[in-house]
Amino acid sequence: MNKIALITGASSGIGEACAELFANEHYDLILTGRRLDRLENLAKKLNTKYDIDVVVSSFDIRNRDEVLSSLEGLPSKWKKVDVLINNAGLSQGLDPIQNGSLDDWDTMIDTNIKGLLYVSKVVSNWMISNKFGHIINIGSIAGKEVYQNGNVYCATKHAVDALNKAMRIDLLPHGIKVTAIHPGAVETEFSEVRFKGDKERAKKVYDGFEPLVAVDIAETIWFAVSRPAHVNINELIVMPTAQAAASIIFRE
Ligand code: NDP
Ligand code: 8X3
């Protein structure tokens, strides 16, 4: 029987790259996100290419009832999750605190912190019953440093950093591994979402240097997941070579 990975935010970027990499490693997959068409296309592609089982569970991670009913409604076979990748997340806006949009703040806090918690509560209980599991939390360099105008996004990723440590302590007696991966700049839809569809502004974020790509992070996650049973990677910070710190990038 194949192992099972549940990936949140699998419709794009890092989550999509994880889906392909774990499929290649013969995992069956639970793919989640809001954009059902993308998830279904990805599921079809991975099922055909890698001969694995894929189930799509589409929900808005901010909606507590949707998260609980979608996950608890999965057939029992799918509750034997070996790896949970808490990846769904986003940044909205880049403004000084005094000008920040309350809606943007709510969106980031509800998605990056509360959504991650809703999924983690359900799946960690499955893992406790199963007596195995590995939770990967996707943090950010923004959870390790604070940069100008990053205020609330940085706060949400600092919360992920704290929750990663807290989960490891609480789940320790159950033998569940907990790992955070903290990326620097990765070229995905992230900046387009941050700048609300302004493609020109988003593109400028990656001008003049070579950013990470989603598969770099998927490979790092796989490294953590593929360690022997007695080894846990607590956290890794993964940066583009041209990025020394959140706001220090060497551009040609
Ligand atoms: P993308 O924008 O490409 O992917 C974000 C994913 O999150 C999408 O699949 C999206 O799915 C999902 N998502 C967002 N909001 C919701 C929601 N309300 N409900 C369900 N799913 C949601 O960005 P990345 O791949 O770059 O981001 C993945 C993670 O990596 C995020 O947590 C981000 O903060 C983190 N990160 C990214 C970095 C970067 O530079 N790109 C650097 C450091 C960390 P859908 O829209 O279909 O719902
Ligand atoms: C995404 C990286 O530097 O834009 O988490 O915050 S950054």
Side-chain angles (χ1 to χ4, degrees):
M1 216 174 85
N2 288 345
K3 289 186 173 180
I4 296 175
L6 190 166
I7 303 169
T8 68
S11 54
S12 150
I14 294 168
E16 184 177 351
C18 288
E20 178 110 29
L21 192 148
F22 276 73
N24 190 40
E25 297 292 344
H26 314 294
Y27 273 67
D28 291 337
L29 300 173
I30 305 168
L31 304 180
T32 82
R34 287 166 301 180
R35 286 170 291 180
L36 182 60
D37 52 334
R38 283 198 183 205
L39 294 171
E40 283 180 344
N41 287 338
L42 180 62
K44 210 175 294 170
K45 178 181 115 178
L46 298 179
N47 170 265
T48 310
K49 190 166 166 190
Y50 298 102
D51 191 25
I52 53 153
D53 283 349
V54 188
V55 69
V56 163
S57 183
S58 175
F59 52 79
D60 186 330
I61 207 165
R62 293 170 295 178
N63 184 321
R64 178 209 293 215
D65 295 337
E66 264 187 51
V67 174
L68 300 187
S69 64
S70 303
L71 293 180
E72 290 298 5
L74 287 168
S76 55
K77 150 192 160 129
W78 289 104
K79 296 179 181 167
K80 304 279 180 218
V81 169
D82 294 271
V83 178
L84 164 64
I85 306 181
N86 273 326
N87 164 75
L90 81 181
S91 178
Q92 292 258 273
L94 189 65
D95 301 299
I97 198 92
Q98 66 275 18
N99 297 340
S101 145
L102 298 184
D103 286 341
D104 288 350
W105 293 358
D106 283 347
T107 301
M108 289 187 279
I109 292 167
D110 290 351
T111 309
N112 299 357
I113 307 177
K114 291 165 73 181
L116 179 144
L117 283 169
Y118 301 152
V119 172
S120 298
K121 179 166 159 75
V122 173
V123 178
S124 60
N125 275 301
W126 296 348
M127 288 177 168
I128 289 169
S129 304
N130 299 336
K131 300 189 169 57
F132 56 77
H134 192 164
I135 299 176
I136 306 284
N137 292 307
I138 305 301
S140 170
I141 188 61
K144 294 288 176 183
E145 301 175 31
V146 176
Y147 54 86
Q148 195 174 24
N149 300 333
N151 41 63
V152 175
Y153 177 67
C154 293
T156 66
K157 289 300 185 175
H158 276 68
V160 173
D161 189 33
L163 288 170
N164 183 66
K165 292 172 185 148
M167 282 182 198
R168 190 174 316 108
I169 295 167
D170 294 349
L171 297 173
L172 181 66
H174 303 285
I176 295 166
K177 294 188 185 192
V178 181
T179 299
I181 306 295
H182 298 288
V186 189
E187 190 165 8
T188 60
E189 290 180 359
F190 177 84
S191 292
E192 234 180 282
V193 171
R194 168 172 260 173
F195 300 129
K196 301 173 183 172
D198 184 340
K199 288 193 176 29
E200 279 307 298
R201 191 171 175 203
K203 210 169 148 298
K204 285 205 182 95
V205 172
Y206 311 106
D207 269 359
F209 78 106
E210 187 173 351
L212 297 171
V213 290
V215 76
D216 295 323
I217 302 306
E219 285 173 351
T220 307
I221 292 168
W222 179 250
F223 173 78
V225 166
S226 58
R227 291 313 83 209
H230 68 289
V231 178
N232 185 65
I233 305 289
N234 283 1
E235 58 180 323
L236 288 172
I237 300 176
V238 187
M239 303 291 278
T241 304
Q243 184 178 22
S247 36
I248 303 180
I249 297 181
F250 184 75
R251 297 178 197 264
E252 304 277 4

